[in-house]
Amino acid sequence: PNSHYVIEMQHGILEECKRQGFELLIHPADSVDGAYMEELRSLISNGHIAGLILTPPFSESKELIETLDDRDIRHVRIRSGDMESDSPGPCILIDDYRAAYEITRYLVCLGHRDIAFLAGSHEHDTSSENRQRGYHAALTDADIKPQASLIVPGEYTFNSGSERTSTLLGQQPPPTAIFACNDEIASGALFAARIKQVAVPQQLSIVGFEDSPFSRQSWPKLTTAHQPNSEIAANAARILIESIRSSRQGNTDKDPARMGFQPEIVVRDSTCPAAT
């Protein structure tokens, strides 16, 4: 995740912990390095941890969840999904699918048909997968056949957005709109368009996702999907603390708490009706 996402999450958790008399221990871990499981086991064994809040991609790790359950460590997962998702245990569910569907439908309503999708990494990342599913469904519902050449895998980085957009703009015909899987990718797309002397939004509409500072500091400002990370994190902390207190009181029969969020479209200057 980008640093802005991490900072907002930490802020939300910290504020709720302070309010309820708990301390926050932040432990950085690299999901690419398989050693994180040993780090976690050591942290649990050596520390006095009441519970854990897991963000993607750790919240998707079956091995990690089983380890926590086996050791009776209370945890709350923040992950992509909706309230109908098969997601056992306490969790905060972010409806990336529905938000991506609405963003794509917005572009379609502006008259765009050649809409590219710049994915994030799909490995251990259901957020990118669900955003792509929403994009695909919105096009299909609008009787627009998704084009494989316009769906480009990559990473959640500025350089990845720039490089992929540069390639897309060399296609004939080029896309008239780009849906980037986060704002950092979208900012890279804006940069590539400027280098190629493609006017945004007059010749190319670009949308991002998450409403990070990238979306407000870019020029033009990005249309995006607002994701209230601090609020999400604060609710995860509240649910975890309630679970910890309930367990200490011997109340283990209560159904796990679940809460859903849907990011909402924020329209700014990077989108306009398709040229006719």
Side-chain angles (χ1 to χ4, degrees):
N2 60 55
S3 58
H4 170 74
Y5 171 89
V6 173
I7 290 170
E8 283 195 332
M9 284 287 178
Q10 291 177 0
H11 179 266
I13 295 169
L14 180 60
E15 288 301 306
E16 185 64 20
C17 284
K18 286 171 61 179
R19 192 178 73 82
Q20 301 224 34
F22 278 69
E23 294 292 333
L24 172 63
L25 172 64
I26 299 171
H27 183 76
D30 185 355
S31 62
V32 178
D33 182 359
Y36 78 87
M37 282 300 302
E38 287 306 315
E39 289 182 28
L40 178 64
R41 291 190 181 101
S42 176
L43 188 67
I44 293 171
S45 299
N46 299 329
H48 300 285
I49 300 174
L52 287 171
I53 295 173
L54 304 174
T55 58
F58 303 105
S59 55
E60 306 292 343
S61 171
K62 183 178 179 181
E63 180 185 7
L64 175 52
I65 303 305
E66 289 176 349
T67 297
L68 295 175
D69 287 340
D70 289 344
R71 301 193 178 204
D72 198 28
I73 301 294
R74 297 285 152 172
H75 57 274
V76 174
R77 292 190 290 159
I78 300 174
R79 62 182 300 267
S80 181
D82 60 30
M83 292 298 283
E84 303 303 318
S85 299
D86 181 17
S87 184
C91 57
I92 303 285
L93 296 159
I94 316 299
D95 198 344
D96 293 289
Y97 171 87
R98 178 51 55 182
Y101 183 99
E102 296 297 338
I103 284 176
T104 308
R105 186 172 69 172
Y106 165 72
L107 291 172
V108 169
C109 289
L110 288 176
H112 296 283
R113 297 185 65 83
D114 295 322
I115 303 171
F117 181 84
L118 302 185
S121 173
H122 278 354
E123 187 176 2
H124 310 302
D125 181 16
T126 55
S127 296
S128 183
E129 180 182 343
N130 285 336
R131 289 170 196 178
Q132 184 170 327
R133 286 178 53 242
Y135 156 86
H136 193 284
L139 291 183
T140 301
D141 287 351
D143 294 325
I144 300 172
K145 184 178 180 180
Q147 302 176 48
S149 63
L150 294 180
I151 302 173
V152 192
E155 302 297 330
Y156 283 108
T157 65
F158 179 95
N159 287 340
S160 180
S162 176
E163 291 167 2
R164 287 181 284 167
T165 299
S166 182
T167 300
L168 284 168
L169 293 176
Q171 294 182 185
Q172 292 301 323
T176 65
I178 289 177
F179 176 6
C181 218
N182 77 349
D183 295 330
E184 192 168 350
I185 297 171
S187 294
L190 278 172
F191 177 77
R194 190 167 299 122
I195 294 297
K196 292 280 189 179
Q197 297 185 330
V198 174
V200 177
Q202 293 84 357
Q203 293 173 282
L204 178 68
S205 287
I206 298 176
V207 300
F209 204 102
E210 290 177 8
D211 196 20
S212 73
F214 282 100
S215 68
R216 299 182 292 277
Q217 296 167 0
S218 63
W219 182 83
K221 291 181 173 63
L222 283 167
T223 294
T224 187
H226 174 65
Q227 185 169 297
N229 292 321
S230 289
E231 182 182 351
I232 289 167
N235 277 282
R238 177 183 56 78
I239 289 171
L240 178 61
I241 290 169
E242 288 176 356
S243 176
I244 292 167
R245 286 176 172 156
S246 180
S247 176
R248 288 174 176 174
Q249 294 168 2
N251 302 325
T252 57
D253 296 332
K254 186 178 179 181
D255 290 336
R258 293 160 63 89
M259 180 175 289
F261 285 86
Q262 180 181 321
E264 297 180 350
I265 299 176
V266 178
V267 176
R268 296 197 179 103
D269 303 326
S270 66
T271 50
C272 75
T276 57

